[in-house]
Amino acid sequence: MNKLAFKNCLLIVTGSIAAYKTPDIVRRMRDEGAEVRVVLTSAASEFVTPLVLQAVSGNEVRQDLFDQKAEAGMGHIELARWADAIVIAPASADYIAKLSKGAADDLSTAICRASEAPILIAPAMNLQMWENSFTKEALDSLMKKGVCVCGPDSGSQACGEVGLGRLVEAEVLLESIANLFNAGSMAQIRVMVTAGPTREYIDPVRYLTNQSSGKMGYALARAACEAGANVILISGPTNLEPPKGVGVEYISSASEMESSVVNNIRDIDIFIACAAVSDYRPEIESSQKIKKSASTFSLKLIPNKDILSGVAGLTNAPFTVGFAAETEKLERYAKDKMTKKGIDMIAANLVDNDGTGFNSDDNELTVFWRDKSRILEKQSKEKLARKLVTLISKVYRESL
Ligand code: PMT
């Protein structure tokens, strides 16, 4: 069955360079079975023409609040009632600010005000604009009103900068639109997952790392997304395909992971630390390949920051879930970590046996929270992740 079969999707295109991608988005929405109507803001029409969007959507593109042809001259009410979902993509910084203030002075904002349909925003803007506190505050306020947010992605931008602010890929957007219709246990929740190993470089060609494949963390990000969450995955180096519908930031070292987590943590409701983060890094990273000289070689290591403890210690910290990878005394060590790091929940796994833990397809977890525990028996990491996500969302909601 197509993901958007028989759904009426209203796409609002606003003034961002990424508007040039919308004809492809409309085509893909229709491929998934959606009936699509498009509203263009006046800024958007500088980047994409109504004619192109009319051709790909098969429907007249609307731009004006006062439309003689609309039923009783009230195009906004007609479209607000028609839509099963409203998708604002790309959503510019200006448009997000305007919507958050409750504006209703043009067709698109009037529709958003008049409709009871779920609204999904896909921001696209320059990195600095994205990081500006006005943008964060505007999004905070919209999310508190139940608006869902998808992205943005990280990468090179039209303005020449590199970082967060790109419109998410069409397939990611489609997945998020589909999630609007199957609200699961994590609907409206923003989740951050860390996954995979870190690399601590000794010189340009050598590094310290561990055996984490990223499979457990990627499965969790996918399961949270399937459960309706808006998910960002901070991933160390892996060979895995990014889960569909999930925004991914790739990092290499523990300190890069820490920066990425800190930069994105602000709106997060649940933080799941599944990454195998190196506790130490070489004190000195040589800029040149180290030559063999003496018969012995010593490496001085210094501690990395504990990312999970840092997040748990934030004012307004999200609900925090850690992992404990142990080779013995699973319960004692896991509970110790939960207390020392000040976190809400911990999922403990044994990593000394074949077939579970690092770099395996299966895993077994014992989960601890407050004075409670639950064993999630050995099964594929995909199935296990779904069970853990259900448990996390239940305990998270109880904590509110
Ligand atoms: O990736 P896979 O091959 O699928 O394997 C999955 C896994 C075994 C890596 C996973 O299930 C797991 O156990 N992840 C945590 C591994 C780990 O580093 O555990 P730890 O006991 O050393 O760390 C405890 C917690 O603190 C973890 O949540 C870790 O992400 C976090 N941590 C650790 C160090 C640090 N500097 N910052 C952190 O946030």
Side-chain angles (χ1 to χ4, degrees):
M1 175 95 163
N2 289 337
K3 288 191 197 106
L4 302 176
F6 312 114
K7 301 294 182 206
N8 290 342
C9 295
L10 181 75
L11 177 67
I12 295 174
V13 184
T14 79
S16 153
I17 179 72
Y20 82 89
K21 297 180 180 171
T22 51
D24 179 49
I25 292 170
V26 171
R27 189 183 55 75
R28 288 173 187 239
M29 286 164 83
R30 292 189 75 194
D31 286 349
E32 288 296 341
E35 171 76 12
V36 184
R37 295 195 187 176
V38 182
V39 169
L40 272 186
T41 65
S42 58
S45 59
E46 300 289 330
F47 298 97
V48 62
T49 67
L51 199 60
V52 176
L53 289 164
Q54 180 170 317
V56 287
S57 69
N59 284 308
E60 189 186 341
V61 171
R62 305 283 274 273
Q63 294 177 271
D64 298 320
L65 183 54
F66 305 107
D67 184 347
Q68 306 293 328
K69 283 178 272 170
E71 186 188 319
M74 289 189 288
H76 60 298
I77 302 297
E78 196 185 308
L79 284 169
R81 287 185 186 146
W82 173 85
D84 293 322
I86 297 175
V87 180
I88 308 174
S92 68
D94 179 58
Y95 194 84
I96 290 171
K98 211 172 150 185
L99 200 62
S100 75
K101 295 259 172 344
D105 61 349
D106 68 0
L107 179 60
S108 65
T109 47
I111 290 170
C112 292
R113 190 69 102 74
S115 182
E116 284 174 358
I119 299 177
L120 176 71
I121 287 184
M125 65 196 72
N126 154 277
L127 170 67
Q128 264 73 37
M129 293 174 94
W130 170 250
E131 286 180 349
N132 190 292
S133 60
F134 280 117
T135 310
K136 303 271 180 209
E137 280 158 24
L139 275 172
D140 270 354
S141 121
L142 285 169
M143 283 190 298
K144 279 186 193 133
K145 290 187 170 67
V147 171
C148 300
V149 181
C150 175
D153 247 354
S154 183
S156 57
Q157 304 192 322
C159 54
E161 307 245 24
V162 178
L164 278 173
R166 281 165 60 95
L167 181 66
V168 288
E169 295 299 325
E171 60 195 24
V172 173
L173 184 62
L174 253 76
E175 206 63 37
S176 296
I177 300 170
N179 283 337
L180 292 175
F181 299 110
N182 46 22
S185 63
M186 283 201 171
Q188 312 286 331
I189 292 175
R190 287 176 72 98
V191 175
M192 180 186 286
V193 180
T194 66
T198 58
R199 286 180 183 171
E200 310 303 322
Y201 276 86
I202 299 166
D203 68 15
V205 294
R206 303 180 181 100
Y207 51 79
L208 304 172
T209 190
N210 58 64
Q211 294 179 53
S212 171
S213 60
K215 287 179 193 171
M216 190 72 242
Y218 275 53
L220 280 164
R222 187 174 293 114
C225 182
E226 281 169 9
N230 192 312
V231 184
I232 176 162
L233 173 65
I234 314 288
S235 172
T238 74
N239 293 320
L240 304 174
E241 280 286 310
K244 281 191 181 150
V246 168
V248 190
E249 269 214 9
Y250 296 99
I251 53 81
S252 177
S253 65
S255 41
E256 284 169 17
M257 180 172 276
E258 202 244 339
S259 307
S260 181
V261 167
V262 168
N263 286 340
N264 292 289
I265 200 70
R266 205 179 136 131
D267 305 320
I268 297 297
D269 302 301
I270 300 177
F271 176 66
I272 308 176
C274 187
V277 186
S278 178
D279 289 322
Y280 296 92
R281 67 177 183 278
E283 184 179 38
I284 297 164
E285 183 188 330
S286 169
S287 59
Q288 301 300 328
K289 187 181 170 201
I290 298 170
K291 293 285 172 206
K292 188 162 78 177
S293 51
S295 55
T296 59
F297 175 74
S298 304
L299 196 59
K300 185 169 177 196
L301 301 179
I302 54 169
N304 281 321
K305 277 194 198 153
D306 191 304
I307 303 169
L308 181 54
S309 299
V311 171
L314 292 170
T315 327
N316 297 325
F319 185 84
T320 42
V321 183
F323 269 71
E326 308 296 344
T327 54
E328 58 170 345
K329 299 176 188 155
L330 190 70
E331 175 165 354
R332 200 174 108 200
Y333 288 164
K335 284 183 170 173
D336 277 357
K337 275 182 187 162
M338 184 162 74
T339 312
K340 278 194 192 131
K341 291 177 190 260
I343 58 177
D344 298 295
M345 207 172 185
I346 196 154
N349 42 194
L350 280 170
V351 289
D352 63 338
N353 52 348
D354 282 344
T356 60
F358 284 104
N359 201 15
S360 57
D361 290 333
D362 295 342
N363 205 7
E364 177 171 343
L365 293 169
T366 310
V367 190
F368 301 96
W369 71 100
R370 300 195 297 270
D371 56 346
K372 300 203 167 82
S373 68
R374 167 100 46 95
I375 294 174
L376 300 176
E377 280 163 8
K378 183 175 172 183
Q379 57 203 297
S380 74
K381 285 180 176 170
E382 297 293 333
K383 283 190 186 159
L384 193 66
R386 286 191 201 112
K387 293 201 173 132
L388 183 55
V389 158
T390 307
L391 182 59
I392 292 171
S393 56
K394 181 174 168 286
V395 179
Y396 163 69
R397 287 184 196 284
E398 284 167 6
S399 76
L400 294 176

